Amino acid sequence: MLQALKELIKYRDLFYMLTLRDIRIRYKQAVMGFLWAIFMPIVAVAAGILIKQAMAVVSGHSIDMLSVVSISVKVLPWTFFISSIRFAVQSLVGNSNLVTKIYFPRAVLPLASIAACLYDLAISVVVLVVILCFVHLGVSIYILWTPLILLFLVFFTTGLGLLLAAANLFFRDVKYVVEIILMFGIFFTPVFYDADSLGRLKVFMLLNPVGSILEALNHAVVLKQMPDLHWLIYAGVTSVVMFYVGMLVFHSKEQSFAENI
Amino acid sequence: MQNAVEFHEVWKKFKKGEKFDSLRDSIPNFFKNLTHKNREIALSEHEFWVVKNVNFTIPKGGVVGIMGPNGAGKSTILKLLSGIMSPTKGRMTINGRLSALIEVTAGFHPELTGRENVYLNGAILGMKRREIDRKFDEIVDFSEVGEFIDTPVKRYSSGMYSRLGFSVAAHMDPEILIVDEVLSVGDIAFQSKCAQKMRELLGSGATILLVSHQISLIQSLCQRVLLLNHGELIKDGPTDEVIPYYQNITFRKNEEDFKHKVKSEQGKVKINQDLALEITDVVLYGRDLRPREEFAPGEDLEIKVDYNVKQEITDPIVIIDIIRSDGVLCCSINSKESGKALGKLYGKAAIKLTFKGLNLAPGIYLTKVSFWEKEMIHPYIVHSHNVIRVIAGKGINLTNAVFFPEVKWGS
């Protein structure tokens, strides 16, 4: 395991080049280019607002600014999560010519595709920060939790991505199952609504580590409160365990990738 | 001195066919394999050995050729070496930075420009970014891609594509280099540049493993050859000693294909059932008058044709051809032209033709015997069946030449 990490560090240049490749090819021959990285989350936010508005109309309330901000803050990490998983699942099979022909630590492939998604997240976060400045959201000391919370998200995503990439290499069914789960995932993750508004069902929302991560983010950034420490610890532990399990399974199966792809 | 490469009783198993385990069996197996390191060694129904008990060591700085017919396990050994696959059983050690010139364009992405691809492919092959920065101009120069370096490679011609790939790979400075049939890209000028580059690497003291079917290339670069067949290492020794064995294997394979083809053609071509003339047998003899197929270059060869004439014919013409396995007509003896009149024929008889010193180069040849009516307008019968195998003795190597005359130098 330690050796696997060491080897990954040795191949960091390859990781960098592959990340660059994934970023470049995503927007090649597209007139709007990098604007897509901003435009796509905007569409997702708009969809969230639309749903929220519809719910508000039904229940007779009106939608406030804070919930719009809350949706935008949560949609970005969620977009990062689903696109990372989507790309990571395909990363080994999509590069089968490399996997069967050239030696390098295979973990670089899913890691690079996740890193490319992280880059998109970074762009949209910058845009979001600019927008939040305009709406005078303001900050509190609790915003210092965000780097840690995002780190948990990256760990969890990486672990899960590695695991699913390896699984998809052996059974192509995985990518369909993942697609279905991601499609319904938005209903079972507090992205467009707050977990607090669900009462007793809240626990089930937060058992999903992505859910507790998004909630913690909402508390720290939008509500300017201390995140629920229990759930944060839960998210942290799950993420690290996920990362470890992902690396372990990936590494132990790596040897047989070339002949099973 | 430490060995660069050591293979110790290496075995590798592959699966056959598309059948894979059902999900019900494979999920428990998946987790079982995670916990138990020892994989099962026994061969199951859908498996076969691609590499069987291969042992060899290559000292540092050695230049070794790997030869063998298709499916001998050469590429698998290279993949084991480069770490793409791991052996089912056995132990292998590699000391030094290893690079492989296998599929040099595998890392290319069509949407990226030449420049971006040089960096990407370099990184995939294990180069550092700074290293590529330093060698970039050299790589572009070598590839002759020139001004198109900032064009996406999907717009490249296939020649430019593979030249760029080779150039990147050729500019690594490995301690162990694996080369698999990639030296044949580009035009003659580029190929000679590649050969030049290979010689430079040889001079740098790198350990090189070269897979090729080109005997001349192996001869000019390697001191030692490993010969593989059906996954087994059957010969390991100096180049000149091993090459005849290689030729023997490829000949034999060629011959089998050839016989098979002849047989299937005979099955097809049955136009005329009542032939006026029938060839019952064609036998090849050596000087010792024993039937055989193997001859050394320069040996005497006698062809005896048994035939049966059912309707009387006059003055037919017999033509005996010798055709090389790739279809080149090597000689054609016409009975009329060489002064043999057959006269009136009826019933069973035989005819013999002796070649005094068969000066054919080593290879596989086929005899074709045909009987024609005297005007040479249509044949009575064409019979191509027999194989002559001219065997390379020690010191005689396969050439593309047909003719192998006895010569004498003077001054």
Side-chain angles (χ1 to χ4, degrees):
Chain A
M1 178 73 182
L2 206 65
Q3 217 173 348
L5 283 175
K6 253 187 213 158
E7 203 179 14
L8 275 178
I9 292 167
K10 214 179 96 192
Y11 275 85
R12 61 183 181 279
D13 278 357
L14 174 60
F15 168 69
Y16 172 77
M17 290 312 304
L18 282 173
T19 308
L20 206 60
R21 177 193 78 169
D22 285 352
I23 294 170
R24 275 177 178 153
I25 59 176
R26 202 167 301 168
Y27 304 114
K28 276 259 159 134
Q29 250 189 34
V31 181
M32 275 175 64
F34 282 97
L35 285 177
W36 282 111
I38 302 161
F39 190 66
M40 289 312 280
I42 289 177
V43 172
V45 172
I49 295 170
L50 208 66
I51 291 170
K52 195 91 181 172
Q53 181 67 40
M55 290 199 307
V57 167
V58 169
S59 62
H61 299 292
S62 69
I63 166 172
D64 54 351
M65 193 60 209
L66 210 58
S67 57
V68 172
V69 171
S70 160
I71 288 171
S72 1
V73 167
K74 287 191 288 188
V75 156
L76 298 189
W78 174 253
T79 313
F80 160 73
F81 175 72
I82 57 169
S83 57
S84 292
I85 296 298
R86 226 170 245 153
F87 281 113
V89 164
Q90 292 281 9
S91 62
L92 290 176
V93 175
N95 288 298
S96 60
N97 54 333
L98 291 183
V99 174
T100 55
K101 301 279 161 56
I102 298 168
Y103 176 78
F104 53 88
R106 274 70 175 91
V108 172
L109 288 170
L111 289 182
S113 51
I114 292 171
C117 294
L118 197 59
Y119 175 82
D120 282 358
L121 175 67
I123 290 184
S124 48
V125 162
V126 169
V127 175
L128 180 68
V129 167
V130 172
I131 292 174
L132 291 187
C133 286
F134 275 105
V135 300
H136 301 293
L137 180 72
V139 285
S140 66
I141 185 77
Y142 300 114
I143 203 156
L144 292 177
W145 282 101
T146 34
L148 186 70
I149 298 170
L150 286 179
L151 190 70
F152 288 164
L153 180 65
V154 171
F155 263 65
F156 183 76
T157 311
T158 309
L160 190 63
L162 286 170
L163 194 67
L164 293 174
N168 189 47
L169 186 139
F170 292 97
F171 310 104
R172 301 291 147 87
D173 321 53
V174 171
K175 75 172 174 239
Y176 297 108
V177 176
V178 166
E179 204 50 51
I180 292 167
I181 293 175
L182 289 182
M183 210 189 309
F184 285 101
I186 193 125
F187 299 120
F188 301 100
T189 317
V191 183
F192 291 155
Y193 49 83
D194 295 336
D196 292 327
S197 63
L198 282 172
R200 280 194 305 144
L201 287 173
K202 181 183 165 188
V203 180
F204 295 103
M205 289 293 155
L206 296 181
L207 273 176
N208 167 6
V210 184
S212 39
I213 286 171
L214 292 182
E215 269 309 294
L217 211 56
N218 189 36
H219 278 266
V221 179
V222 184
L223 303 176
K224 293 174 225 157
Q225 296 167 355
M226 176 66 198
D228 186 332
L229 211 53
H230 291 104
W231 284 112
L232 192 59
I233 291 169
Y234 167 77
V237 170
T238 337
S239 304
V240 171
V241 168
M242 190 73 234
F243 180 76
Y244 184 75
V245 168
M247 286 293 273
L248 198 70
V249 171
F250 194 93
H251 183 58
S252 72
K253 284 279 140 193
E254 196 173 8
Q255 290 287 341
S256 53
F257 282 176
E259 51 205 286
N260 285 301
I261 200 158
Chain B
M1 198 166 73
Q2 212 182 10
N3 285 320
V5 177
E6 282 178 31
F7 259 55
H8 187 75
E9 289 173 14
V10 171
W11 295 70
K12 179 71 193 169
K13 190 160 68 174
F14 267 9
K15 283 196 188 78
K16 234 187 315 215
E18 216 189 1
K19 187 186 184 307
F20 48 93
D21 315 341
S22 76
L23 211 59
R24 197 186 57 197
D25 299 334
S26 48
I27 288 177
N29 280 341
F30 185 84
F31 288 105
K32 209 189 285 167
N33 284 347
L34 283 183
T35 45
H36 301 278
K37 270 283 153 219
N38 50 336
R39 277 169 283 182
E40 268 184 58
I41 296 304
L43 213 56
S44 79
E45 194 187 344
H46 297 284
E47 293 170 330
F48 65 101
W49 294 110
V50 256
V51 172
K52 283 184 261 186
N53 197 18
V54 171
N55 283 289
F56 63 85
T57 56
I58 298 170
K60 278 210 167 133
V63 181
V64 177
I66 298 181
M67 304 186 88
N70 290 336
K74 303 182 296 287
S75 297
T76 309
I77 285 191
L78 294 193
K79 283 188 174 177
L80 289 171
L81 269 171
S82 53
I84 296 168
M85 292 176 182
S86 60
T88 314
K89 201 163 72 167
R91 197 160 44 79
M92 39 177 263
T93 35
I94 289 148
N95 299 306
R97 170 173 157 157
L98 183 139
S99 306
L101 284 187
I102 315 172
E103 304 269 343
V104 284
T105 56
F108 276 12
H109 195 286
E111 295 286 347
L112 299 179
T113 66
R115 182 185 302 275
E116 290 163 342
N117 266 313
V118 167
Y119 277 90
L120 175 63
N121 211 18
I124 288 171
L125 295 171
M127 282 201 250
K128 296 258 166 275
R129 227 181 323 153
R130 241 171 293 136
E131 199 179 334
I132 307 170
D133 280 334
R134 208 174 57 230
K135 292 178 180 163
F136 186 79
D137 292 335
E138 217 180 308
I139 292 173
V140 176
D141 265 3
F142 191 89
S143 69
E144 299 167 7
V145 171
E147 56 183 311
F148 298 107
I149 192 68
D150 287 313
T151 309
V153 294
K154 64 180 172 183
R155 312 230 186 276
Y156 278 23
S157 73
S158 55
M160 287 162 79
Y161 201 79
S162 43
R163 278 201 318 264
L164 191 63
F166 182 84
S167 306
V168 176
H171 283 81
M172 300 181 292
D173 24 40
E175 286 160 8
I176 304 170
L177 181 70
I178 298 175
V179 186
D180 189 5
E181 296 280 9
V182 285
L183 294 172
S184 44
V185 290
D187 57 12
I188 294 173
F190 189 75
Q191 279 187 30
S192 74
K193 244 162 73 174
C194 296
Q196 179 63 29
K197 194 79 201 166
M198 282 297 292
R199 293 220 166 73
E200 261 172 49
L201 281 167
L202 282 178
S204 74
T207 310
I208 298 181
L209 270 106
L210 179 68
V211 168
S212 183
H213 292 290
Q214 256 177 289
I215 292 175
S216 58
L217 185 76
I218 296 265
Q219 271 178 325
S220 71
L221 293 172
C222 309
Q223 307 115 10
R224 183 179 149 202
V225 172
L226 306 175
L227 178 61
L228 294 165
N229 197 16
H230 301 299
E232 284 169 287
L233 183 65
I234 53 172
K235 206 79 194 164
D236 175 1
T239 307
D240 290 337
E241 255 173 55
V242 178
I243 283 180
Y245 284 92
Y246 169 68
Q247 289 172 329
N248 230 330
I249 291 175
T250 46
F251 285 175
R252 221 157 278 231
K253 203 169 162 288
N254 221 338
E255 185 187 315
E256 269 162 33
D257 293 351
F258 212 44
K259 276 186 174 162
H260 187 77
K261 199 172 114 196
V262 167
K263 262 194 198 123
S264 59
E265 267 172 17
Q266 270 179 344
K268 269 182 268 170
V269 189
K270 265 188 188 160
I271 339 141
N272 206 335
Q273 286 299 336
D274 352 286
L275 295 161
L277 192 152
E278 195 179 56
I279 293 175
T280 48
D281 204 4
V282 176
V283 191
L284 309 176
Y285 297 96
R287 193 178 293 161
D288 52 4
L289 296 176
R290 281 218 314 264
R292 59 175 160 148
E293 293 182 349
E294 261 180 42
F295 294 86
E299 225 180 329
D300 287 356
L301 164 75
E302 191 178 275
I303 300 179
K304 179 165 162 270
V305 181
D306 292 308
Y307 58 89
N308 185 10
V309 186
K310 290 169 187 162
Q311 295 160 25
E312 195 185 84
I313 47 175
T314 19
D315 284 331
I317 295 164
V318 186
I319 296 179
I320 296 182
D321 295 334
I322 295 181
I323 300 160
R324 199 167 66 179
S325 59
D326 57 359
V328 174
L329 178 62
C330 301
C331 76
S332 179
I333 311 292
N334 182 317
S335 66
K336 191 179 170 190
E337 282 164 14
S338 48
K340 165 85 178 168
L342 278 87
K344 274 200 172 103
L345 295 182
Y346 188 72
K348 282 182 190 174
I351 188 169
K352 280 184 192 169
L353 178 71
T354 309
F355 288 81
K356 283 244 154 79
L358 185 71
N359 288 326
L360 288 174
I364 303 294
Y365 300 86
L366 180 82
T367 60
K368 183 169 134 191
V369 180
S370 50
F371 279 78
W372 297 72
E373 52 87 37
K374 61 184 169 192
E375 306 301 333
M376 285 271 305
I377 292 167
H378 57 260
Y380 290 116
I381 191 162
V382 179
H383 179 101
S384 48
H385 190 89
N386 291 62
V387 168
I388 307 173
R389 203 162 52 208
V390 180
I391 287 300
K394 212 179 157 182
I396 302 171
N397 286 315
L398 182 71
T399 55
N400 290 326
V402 175
F403 196 42
F404 194 87
E406 222 180 288
V407 291
K408 204 174 177 181
W409 291 93
S411 63

